Amino acid sequence: MEECQKLGLTKSIGVCNISCKKIETLLATAKIPPAVNQVEMNPVWQQKKLRKLCKRKGIVVTAYSPLGGKGTPWGSNAVMECEVLKQIADAKGKSLAQVCLRWLYEQGVSFVVKSFNKDRIKENVEIFDWELNPEELEKIDQIPQKRE
């Protein structure tokens, strides 16, 4: 990939599902560091240690499965059934999905959301005119972590 970038065939190099240990190994040998690391991330799997390392190394984190992995062989509905997120959503008059996406946005990560439903697509964009308050962020921070 480094050769491809040198030849102008790609602008940036990205990696996917790379752990802290693997990032350290990669950075020890790579001449060009990755620009992005795409990983599963949501309020139930916050990837705190990985996000901290990536930030320190100048690597953007992109979250996939920001609403959990329901319907996938590896996932569950833990995010969409999380009582903490439901309570915050109800208190704010927002959907649980909006709370999850706003949380990701406030964490400074980019995220990939998939929907074919026109109303949900519109709802997903309506996260920029409000904020989570410090108490809500603390409640989300305290959600027990489990990989889906």
Side-chain angles (χ1 to χ4, degrees):
M1 288 309 297
E2 289 179 329
E3 190 61 32
C4 289
Q5 188 173 357
K6 287 176 190 170
L7 293 171
L9 299 174
T10 186
K11 253 184 145 171
S12 300
I13 298 171
V15 293
C16 186
N17 296 323
I18 302 293
S19 66
C20 290
K21 185 177 180 181
K22 289 178 184 172
I23 285 179
E24 294 287 8
T25 302
L26 175 65
L27 293 175
T29 58
K31 290 177 178 63
I32 302 170
V36 65
N37 184 13
Q38 185 180 31
V39 296
E40 179 184 357
M41 184 181 155
N42 54 59
V44 176
W45 188 240
Q46 297 180 16
Q47 302 269 24
K48 293 175 188 177
K49 183 178 170 189
L50 181 63
R51 282 189 289 135
K52 188 176 178 180
L53 174 65
C54 286
K55 184 175 184 175
R56 208 170 61 245
K57 301 294 185 178
I59 302 169
V60 173
V61 172
T62 296
Y64 68 80
S65 295
L67 306 179
K70 183 180 180 186
T72 63
W74 47 266
S76 76
N77 208 22
V79 174
M80 299 307 282
E81 292 175 354
C82 178
E83 285 303 317
V84 170
L85 298 173
K86 285 180 185 178
Q87 291 168 3
I88 293 170
D90 290 345
K92 291 205 133 359
K94 302 294 181 185
S95 72
L96 191 143
Q98 287 175 309
V99 170
C100 290
L101 298 179
R102 180 66 201 193
W103 175 80
L104 286 164
Y105 176 73
E106 291 188 23
Q107 301 310 300
V109 303
S110 60
F111 47 90
V112 180
V113 183
K114 179 182 102 175
S115 182
F116 297 103
N117 180 298
K118 201 182 290 187
D119 293 331
R120 285 196 191 118
I121 293 169
K122 184 179 181 298
E123 181 182 282
N124 289 344
V125 175
E126 294 173 345
I127 64 164
F128 300 108
D129 61 347
W130 58 279
E131 295 178 349
L132 294 164
N133 66 44
E135 294 80 23
E136 292 162 338
L137 290 169
E138 181 60 28
K139 285 179 183 177
I140 293 171
D141 192 57
Q142 297 304 314
I143 293 172
Q145 297 297 290
K146 57 183 170 188
R147 185 159 187 233
E148 293 224 66

